[in-house]
């Protein structure tokens, strides 16, 4: 009999679960038969590591490429460039065929309704993926019931229902249960609580934290809500127009953001203290269209500390942390690069 | 004394022909220059209440009752013509999704001028000049060029600014906003909130803001009303309510909101789900989910209790003797 | 916009070429020899060969197509096999008659359809709505040659109010003498577009009325008339697109109705050409009708783009 269990840990705890190198995705713009209109550089050269058992959050505004990253990692769209290693093995190689990889990575989307088949009962929806992968019907249904239990929905009450009979929060629980059905190691959560009411959001966040322990999961958590990210994440990747602006441990980033964009985003959070209201917004303007990103540092058009060097060339991620808590804290900003020519950067020590 | 009263609502009820009781007895006043935030989750009736103020709910499917006056004029009984005279010069509204709330085939300038020309007897040229001033007021860069732009040619933030300009085109005394920043990016959201607050103060408007986000209320409101199952279950000044909510639902909502300092902790949640608005329970609608509920809660609807002047909550556990409230605050 | 227009016209060229090839081939693929239609069955083999050579029917097909196309481009569609007259002259006369009929019917259908569809959409679920939808279903389903005959029986035969045949004496003119000939066929032909436009406009209006921006517009205090202007401008691109295509169908598809009313247009010309195996006439007519269809499609696209700012590109 076939069992679908969580695959063994091959690389050991020190081996990152996911390594992505030079990941890029360009969407060509169609302009009729004559002449092509360039491309939207949704993701443009991204390096990324997700450690085993951690929650890595990607934050950023519309057009930053965070959802494209999740779709690239899920294999839903082919990358323009770059490669992905999963537990040390190249995805798509003989050691890790794409199908085996995709079983170990599952995804939960923002729209809980659109991601469920309206004609399948809850039980069938959850049992379907394991059955496709060869698990017998009885075992699959049994697993579905266990998972319903795990996400806090009584199987006796919910197994036979259909998606439209459930509330948004309940449907999102179903989506989570279904993602767990193949016993994956990585779950990509793409704005999983953005469409939910606050009281339901809290329930789902609690559930996600519980399941992570219980099933030994690693999360890639994509969100625009910095409060939620601060609550759930271990490390944070801040993206802007398809590039990484900053990455690092959540405490370090929230306490001492290095990139002016991260500072602006953090300052844009709504204060919960009406006695301390500000007068001026931290950032001005909208995020630009990724079709024509500005030259140099992509943030230079909205950056409060931009200087000529910023529109000349593109900065890369470089370590900025000097304390033990800030280990792995990197930002891509010329003001932080010694000798870059930015007036805020220290002079290069000769 | 009542001259500066913009809105007066007493036992306002809105029922839909589908059987949904969306608003079930709402009382409030709004004075000039005052900003009220109606805070609630989906299905609480907050948007329906807001639309009821302008009578914008689908006319053939809506039954309104109770008392509702805008600047002393009866909204419940007014004819459609009288209502449309109020919309624009007295009260106007901005919406959540600026992309769908603007007519896609008319330019921004046209959508502003047609409002002005509808209500004021001025020339097209003057109306266009006013439109330009409005775009500058809402801080749209290269405003002149944007007059002739279509909505899809603007970014999300600029579209919402244009929406605000349209709403302001006849200098309303009362501005209604239905989750105007929910669809926007974080860095744009705060820009729009600050802009609205600035314009509200500059023009001396009253404003009613509907939101599900406590943080939004914290940025713009003078007073907050928390709505549940079509009723205001608590109302009070923003700082007091956010610091110390009285009603168990308001407490639950605050506890469930992710904020700085909640990291690593379990979030408090509210068990259960909101009631079916077709078939509301008698008594307190929150009682079935309330940890403090007792028999009396279900017997009949708790009255609004006022522990201190200016604050009120619909819960039998709220002590309306000011002395007792003071003790509780102190402990 | 100019660039877009030029590009769209350029796109139409291969379509036009393909259409002309099909027109040319169809006649040759069909069974039967066109010579049989011209000559009596007992004509000698010599005569047959002579006539065949005279019409160019002895050459290989690609050469025939090339020659034909070269002539067609110069407006020379050859001579009719049946009556030896210039096809081009016949075509101009017939096409103008058909054009009069088709545009009248299309305009009538468009106006009726917009009014009924608009009312049905605005008063969805009421008696008005149901009546309009019934009319639309009826209009689309009724066979129009049958409707034509019924109208002839009522208005020509029984009441004797209107003529049942031809387009009136001599050349066409917009006077009562001629217009009375136009009324019955135009009404008959307008029923289908009226039904289709009703259905389309009703759907579009219902959709527009449910949009958020309608609430915004009501919230600005706009009166009913201004709201109607907004609805119309939003509905126009779709309604015109349907109408443009219908006009195309009417230009080519009125064979039956033109035959019923003996209206001397392209439909009747085609009908005769088919029975007489008059290849030059068939080819010329089909080609001209197809080109009109292509041109109308192009026109509809351009008008739609001009009306809807979201479709505009550089």
């Amino acid at each position: 009999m076939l069992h679908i269990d969580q695959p063994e840990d091959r690389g050991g705890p020190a081996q990152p679960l996911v390594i992505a190198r030079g990941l890029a995705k360009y969407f060509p713009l169609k302009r009729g038969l004559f002449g092509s209109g360039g491309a939207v550089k949704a993701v443009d050269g991204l390096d990324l590591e997700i450690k085993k058992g951690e929650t890595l959050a990607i934050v950023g505004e519309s057009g930053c490429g965070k959802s494209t990253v999740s779709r690239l990692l899920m294999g839903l769209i082919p990358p323009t460039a770059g490669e992905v290693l999963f537990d040390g093995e190249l995805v798509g190689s003989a050691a890790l065929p794409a199908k085996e990889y995709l079983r170990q990575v599952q995804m939960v989307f923002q729209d809980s309704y659109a991601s469920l088949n309206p004609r399948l009962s809850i039980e069938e929806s959850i049992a379907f993926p394991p059955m496709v992968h060869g698990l017998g019907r009885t075992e699959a249904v049994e697993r579905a019931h266990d998972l319903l239990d795990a996400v806090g929905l009584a199987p006796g009450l919910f197994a036979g229902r259909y998606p439209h009979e459930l509330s948004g929060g309940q449907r999102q629980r179903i989506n989570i249960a279904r993602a767990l059905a193949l016993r994956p190691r990585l779950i990509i959560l793409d704005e999983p609580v953005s469409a939910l009411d606050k009281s339901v959001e809290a329930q789902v966040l609690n559930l996600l934290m519980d399941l992570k322990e219980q099933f030994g999961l690693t999360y890639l958590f994509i969100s625009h809500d910095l409060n939620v990210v601060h609550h759930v994440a271990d490390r944070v990747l801040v993206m802007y127009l398809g590039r990484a602006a900053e990455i690092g441990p959540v405490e370090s980033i929230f306490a001492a953001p290095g990139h002016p964009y991260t500072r602006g985003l953090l300052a844009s959070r709504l204060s919960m203290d009406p006695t301390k209201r500000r007068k001026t917004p931290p950032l001005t303007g909208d995020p630009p269209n990724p079709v024509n990103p500005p030259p140099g540092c992509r943030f230079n058009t909205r950056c409060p500390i931009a200087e000529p060097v910023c529109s000349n060339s593109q900065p890369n991620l470089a370590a900025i942390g000097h304390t033990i808590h800030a280990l792995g804290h990197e930002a891509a900003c010329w003001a932080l690069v010694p000798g870059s020519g930015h007036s805020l950067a220290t002079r290069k020590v000769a | 004394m009542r001259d500066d009263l913009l809105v007066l609502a007493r036992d306002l009820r809105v029922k839909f022909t589908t059987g949904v009781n969306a608003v079930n007895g709402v009382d409030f006043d709004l004075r000039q220059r005052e900003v009220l935030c109606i805070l609630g989750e989906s299905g609480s009736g907050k948007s329906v209440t807001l639309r009821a103020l302008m009578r914008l709910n689908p006319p053939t499917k809506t039954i309104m009752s109770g008392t509702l006056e805008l600047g002393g004029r009866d909204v419940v009984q007014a004819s459609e013509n009288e209502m449309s005279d109020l919309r624009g010069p007295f009260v106007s509204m901005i919406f959540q999704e600026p992309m769908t709330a603007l007519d896609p085939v008319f330019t921004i300038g046209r959508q502003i001028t047609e409002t002005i020309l509808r209500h004021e007897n001025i020339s097209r040229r003057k109306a266009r000049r006013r439109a330009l001033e409005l775009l500058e007021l809402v801080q749209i860069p290269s405003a002149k060029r944007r007059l002739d732009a279509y909505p899809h040619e603007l970014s999300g933030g600029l579209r919402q600014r244009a929406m605000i300009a349209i709403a302001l085109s006849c200098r309303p005394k009362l501005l209604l906003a239905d989750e105007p920043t929910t669809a926007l990016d974080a860095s744009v959201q705060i820009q729009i909130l600050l802009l609205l607050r600035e314009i509200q103060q500059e023009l001396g408007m009253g404003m009613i803001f509907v939101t599900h986000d406590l943080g939004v209320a914290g940025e713009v409101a003078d007073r907050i009303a928390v709505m549940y199952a079509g009723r205001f279950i608590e109302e009070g000044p923003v700082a007091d309510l956010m610091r110390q909510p009285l009603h168990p639902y308001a407490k639950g909502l605050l506890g469930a909101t992710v904020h700085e300092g909640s990291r690593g902790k379990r979030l408090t949640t509210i068990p259960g789900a909101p009631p079916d608005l077709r078939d509301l329970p008698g008594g307190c609608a929150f009682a079935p989910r309330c940890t403090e509920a007792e028999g009396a809660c279900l017997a009949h609807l708790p009255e609004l209790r006022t522990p201190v002047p200016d604050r009120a909550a619909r819960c039998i556990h709220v002590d309306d003797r000011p002395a007792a409230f003071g003790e509780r605050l102190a402990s | 916009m100019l660039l877009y227009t030029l590009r769209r016209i350029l796109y139409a060229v291969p379509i036009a070429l393909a259409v002309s090839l099909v027109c040319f081939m169809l006649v040759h693929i069909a069974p039967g020899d066109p010579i049989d239609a011209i000559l009596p069955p007992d004509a000698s083999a010599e005569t047959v060969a002579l006539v065949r050579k005279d019409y160019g029917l002895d050459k290989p097909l690609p050469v025939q197509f090339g020659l034909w196309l070269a002539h067609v481009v110069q407006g020379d569609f050859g001579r009719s096999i049946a009556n030896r007259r210039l096809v081009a002259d016949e075509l101009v006369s017939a096409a103008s008659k058909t054009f009069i009929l088709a545009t009248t019917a299309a305009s009538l259908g468009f106006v009726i359809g917009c009014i009924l569809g608009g009312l049905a959409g605005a008063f969805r679920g009421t008696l008005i709505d149901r009546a309009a939808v019934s009319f639309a279903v009826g209009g689309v389903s009724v066979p129009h040659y049958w409707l034509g005959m019924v109208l002839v029986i009522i208005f020509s035969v029984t009441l004797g109010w209107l003529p049942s045949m031809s387009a009136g004496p001599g050349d066409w003119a917009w006077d009562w003498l001629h217009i009375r000939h136009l009324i019955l066929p135009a009404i008959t032909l307008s029923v289908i577009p009226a039904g289709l436009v009703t259905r389309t406009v009703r759907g579009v209006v219902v959709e527009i009325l449910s949009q958020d921006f309608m609430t915004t517009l009501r919230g600005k205090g706009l009166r009913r008339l201004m709201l109607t202007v907004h609805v119309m401008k939003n509905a126009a691109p779709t309604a015109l697109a349907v109408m443009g295509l219908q006009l195309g169908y009417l230009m080519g598809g009125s064979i039956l109705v033109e035959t019923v009313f003996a209206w001397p247009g392209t439909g009747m010309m085609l009908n005769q050409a088919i029975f007489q195996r008059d290849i030059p006439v068939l080819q010329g007519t089909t080609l001209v009708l197809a080109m009109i269809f292509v041109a109308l499609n192009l026109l509809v696209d351009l008008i739609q783009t001009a009306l809807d700012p979201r479709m505009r590109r550089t």
Side-chain angles (χ1 to χ4, degrees), chain B:
Chain B
M1 178 60 203
R2 283 182 60 173
D3 287 350
D4 68 339
L5 206 57
L6 294 178
V7 184
L8 179 138
R10 294 288 178 270
D11 196 34
L12 176 65
R13 288 165 191 274
V14 180
K15 206 174 151 176
F16 291 115
T17 46
T18 51
V20 170
N21 301 293
V23 181
N24 302 301
V26 160
D27 306 295
F28 72 96
D29 294 343
L30 188 87
R31 291 172 192 289
Q32 266 170 26
R33 297 172 181 276
E34 200 175 16
V35 182
L36 172 73
C37 250
I38 303 178
L39 185 72
E41 299 188 274
S42 45
S44 63
K46 55 187 192 305
S47 280
V48 178
T49 306
L50 199 71
R51 273 154 215 254
L53 293 178
M54 288 177 79
R55 242 176 53 194
L56 281 180
N57 290 304
T60 54
K61 295 176 190 141
T62 313
I63 305 153
M64 243 168 99
S65 63
T67 308
L68 178 63
E69 289 176 15
L70 287 191
R73 271 153 298 191
D74 187 342
V75 169
V76 182
Q77 299 298 331
S79 71
E80 192 54 37
N81 269 340
E82 287 166 344
M83 254 345 272
S84 75
D85 285 340
L86 279 183
R87 297 175 188 146
F90 187 85
V91 56
S92 61
M93 194 186 285
I94 50 181
F95 298 88
Q96 175 172 350
E97 214 5 291
M99 186 70 228
T100 57
L102 295 172
D103 189 331
V105 302
F106 283 77
T107 61
I108 299 297
R110 175 76 194 273
Q111 296 192 48
I112 299 176
T113 51
E114 69 175 357
T115 321
I116 302 172
L117 293 171
R118 153 70 177 86
H119 294 286
E120 290 171 37
N121 199 7
I122 62 172
S123 71
R124 213 163 256 283
R125 253 196 44 227
K126 274 189 179 157
R128 196 173 153 88
R129 198 177 320 142
R130 168 106 65 90
L132 182 64
E133 287 165 18
L134 283 161
L135 290 193
E136 279 161 0
L137 178 72
V138 297
Q139 297 158 22
I140 290 183
S142 14
K144 195 154 197 169
R145 194 158 49 85
R146 258 63 187 253
L147 273 181
D148 298 315
Y150 289 94
H152 73 276
E153 294 168 338
L154 304 181
S155 65
L158 288 187
R159 274 199 290 266
Q160 195 57 294
R161 284 172 198 268
M163 179 81 237
I164 295 171
I166 292 173
L168 294 177
S169 48
C170 292
R171 299 278 150 88
K173 295 191 167 65
L174 173 63
L175 182 64
L176 310 180
D178 189 359
E179 305 240 17
T181 60
T182 307
L184 303 175
D185 278 320
S187 68
V188 182
Q189 158 164 302
I190 186 71
Q191 295 173 34
I192 298 293
L193 289 176
L194 294 184
L195 174 75
L196 279 170
R197 207 174 65 198
E198 194 185 314
I199 288 174
Q200 177 263 327
Q201 281 165 0
E202 203 178 308
L203 304 181
M205 293 183 296
M207 191 152 84
I208 303 181
F209 231 86
V210 154
T211 182
H212 71 280
D213 190 339
L214 203 59
V216 169
E219 291 287 348
V220 297
D222 297 325
R223 305 173 58 74
I224 296 186
V226 182
M227 212 168 169
Y228 187 80
R231 294 189 187 101
F232 283 10
I233 52 103
E234 179 166 356
E235 199 194 330
V238 57
D240 297 346
L241 200 146
M242 285 177 81
R243 197 176 336 115
Q244 189 172 29
L246 303 172
H247 195 283
Y249 173 68
K251 287 181 204 163
L253 206 55
L254 255 73
T257 304
V258 187
H259 54 89
E260 235 169 317
S262 67
R263 174 168 172 73
K265 295 176 201 146
R266 280 187 77 78
L267 297 161
T268 39
T269 59
I270 306 172
D276 183 358
L277 293 173
R278 261 171 267 256
D279 183 26
L280 276 176
C284 173
F286 186 62
R289 302 170 71 186
C290 184
T291 46
E292 300 172 34
E294 50 189 81
C297 298
L298 289 165
H300 39 82
L301 185 66
E303 297 194 359
L304 212 56
R305 293 181 165 214
T306 312
V308 279
D310 229 21
R311 296 201 64 178
R314 269 190 200 279
C315 176
I316 59 165
H317 295 295
V318 171
D319 205 326
D320 55 2
R321 291 164 302 160
F325 181 76
E327 275 162 34
R328 262 188 57 202
L329 271 186
S331 64

Side-chain angles (χ1 to χ4, degrees), chain A residues 61-62 197 199 201 203 206 210 227 230-231 233 251 270-272 277-278 280-281 283-287 302, chain B residues 41-42 155-157 185 187 189-191 194 197 214-216 218-219 221 242 256 258 262-263 265-267 270:
Chain A
E61 301 179 283
S62 48
D197 273 323
S199 64
E201 175 184 284
Q203 293 170 7
N206 281 344
D210 294 344
N227 288 325
H230 191 219
H231 182 76
E251 293 297 5
L270 305 174
S271 80
M272 299 297 279
R277 287 182 180 163
R278 65 211 114 150
T280 47
L283 292 174
T284 52
D286 283 45
R302 297 172 78 199
Chain B
E41 299 188 274
S42 45
S155 65
D185 278 320
S187 68
Q189 158 164 302
I190 186 71
Q191 295 173 34
L194 294 184
R197 207 174 65 198
L214 203 59
V216 169
E219 291 287 348
M242 285 177 81
V258 187
S262 67
R263 174 168 172 73
K265 295 176 201 146
R266 280 187 77 78
L267 297 161
I270 306 172

